[in-house]
Amino acid sequence: MVETQTAVVGAGIIGMATALELARTGRVVHVVERAPSPGAEASGAAAGMLAPQHEADGPSPFLELCLEARDLWLEVARDLLSTTGIDPGHHTDGLLHLALDASEWAALQRRSTWQSGVGLPVEELLPAEIRRRFPAVTQEIPGALFYHGDHYIHTTHSLEAYYAACRAADVHFIFGREVTALRTEPDSGAVRVAAVQTDGLEIAAETTLLAAGAWTGQITESIGYRLPVEPVRGQAVLTTMKDDPPEYILSCTDGYIVPREGGEIFIGATSERVGFDRSTTEEGVQSVWKAAQWILPSLKECRPSQSWAGLRPGSPDDLPIIGPAPGVRDLWLATGHYRNGLLLGPLTGLLLCRWMTTGEPGRDMTPFLPDRFVG
Ligand code: GLY
């Protein structure tokens, strides 16, 4: 048996970011992960978009959370680089969102209106301006928006940096152990989670955080919680452009392109509710590849070098589920980050650490509480 102050289930970005913050306050933290290495599921499969302007549908508490998370990444990227020597590849070049046709352009213009209304830096671009500033992208479009406030990171480097920072802060990792159940015990007339159980190893903890992405609901079932987290498969492709790879993110309804380094570009992603099936399909890969070739016609000269799929943790209202589990003590939940796990990971870690150690998250988290689904 292992004894610890905090057991974190899941070594994705949310698990590692929370573990890092807690360890830096002097707490003993054990992260348990069923894969042999960190970031093996949705985090590692992600594009690395830090794109609140692209992802939010209107002014909302979710947009506020995403903007705060995007700003925090500026500090996090500097901190990870100076602590570990690994550059997370943080870029602030923006995102070009292309309209396929007149009705999409009308929708993007409405988007531009609400975004300017809340002070977000957005530009409406007509064909002549697109031709002048973005000659490499398709010119068969009625218009596009440029979101100056959308950023991206290099997914693999960021996860490597988080892992190295955790190790430097004495976070303990237990890889290759699948959590099968939570053990509860009575606690002054209530019930508390006392341990996480894996095949052959129990980790007894003062506090437990479940950050196991789409699998979090399977773990809570062992204590009778029905947490409605559903896997949403995203298929993606990698390729390399030798000449003039873009420096900013490019997006349309059917797919997006995120630059990496050395001409490598990430092309994503489908959104499919097909259960816990992480396989790729010819149809899925072709759909994002075709969308990318439409966005950047010069991609017709390139070939995909790799394809894969990740399972995003989706929630019924597409909002994250963050906070103490209602009705049971010493259990915390952080899942449902859906399309924004890498964006929201560092902020989720910071808020949870503050919340667990002081009893207050330091900002209003009401819209994201687990209570809306579990109670
Ligand atoms: N963040 C983009 C996606 O999940 O596809």
Side-chain angles (χ1 to χ4, degrees), residues 124-149:
E124 287 185 27
L125 303 174
L126 293 173
E129 186 67 355
I130 297 167
R131 246 190 323 277
R132 193 179 68 76
R133 283 178 45 195
F134 304 102
V137 307
T138 180
Q139 300 299 319
E140 300 160 15
I141 50 173
L145 297 185
F146 194 78
Y147 308 129
H148 289 273

Side-chain angles (χ1 to χ4, degrees), residues 62-83:
F62 175 65
L63 174 65
E64 294 303 317
L65 190 79
C66 289
L67 292 170
E68 209 175 311
R70 179 207 58 192
D71 292 346
L72 180 66
W73 254 109
L74 292 163
E75 276 171 53
V76 167
R78 278 194 295 270
D79 171 61
L80 289 174
L81 177 59
S82 70
T83 314

Side-chain angles (χ1 to χ4, degrees), residues 300-364:
K300 295 202 173 93
E301 313 299 320
C302 303
R303 291 286 159 266
S305 57
Q306 218 182 314
S307 61
W308 66 90
L311 299 179
R312 309 174 184 92
S315 70
D317 55 10
D318 293 343
L319 297 179
I321 302 169
I322 306 169
V328 60
R329 291 186 184 160
D330 302 330
L331 180 65
W332 295 74
L333 303 171
T335 183
H337 290 65
Y338 188 37
R339 296 174 57 89
N340 295 289
L342 289 190
L343 168 64
L344 294 172
L347 180 62
T348 302
L350 190 76
L351 295 170
L352 279 173
C353 173
R354 203 183 286 152
W355 210 341
M356 287 169 161
T357 53
T358 69
E360 296 293 336
R363 80 185 299 288
D364 182 18

Side-chain angles (χ1 to χ4, degrees), residues 8-11 31-41 163 172-180 197-201 203:
V8 175
V9 181
V31 178
V32 55
E33 164 61 54
R34 67 177 185 174
S37 55
E41 295 290 352
Y163 181 53
H172 305 268
F173 284 87
I174 302 169
F175 288 113
R177 297 266 183 188
E178 179 158 8
V179 172
T180 49
Q197 296 179 318
T198 72
D199 270 347
L201 180 72
I203 300 138

Side-chain angles (χ1 to χ4, degrees), residues 42 45-51 54-55 232-236 256 258 266 268-271 312 337-343:
M49 290 163 75
L50 312 178
H54 182 258
E55 295 293 328
V232 185
R233 182 168 73 184
Q235 299 191 48
Y256 55 77
V258 183
F266 179 110
T270 59
S271 280
R312 309 174 184 92
H337 290 65
Y338 188 37
R339 296 174 57 89
N340 295 289
L342 289 190
L343 168 64

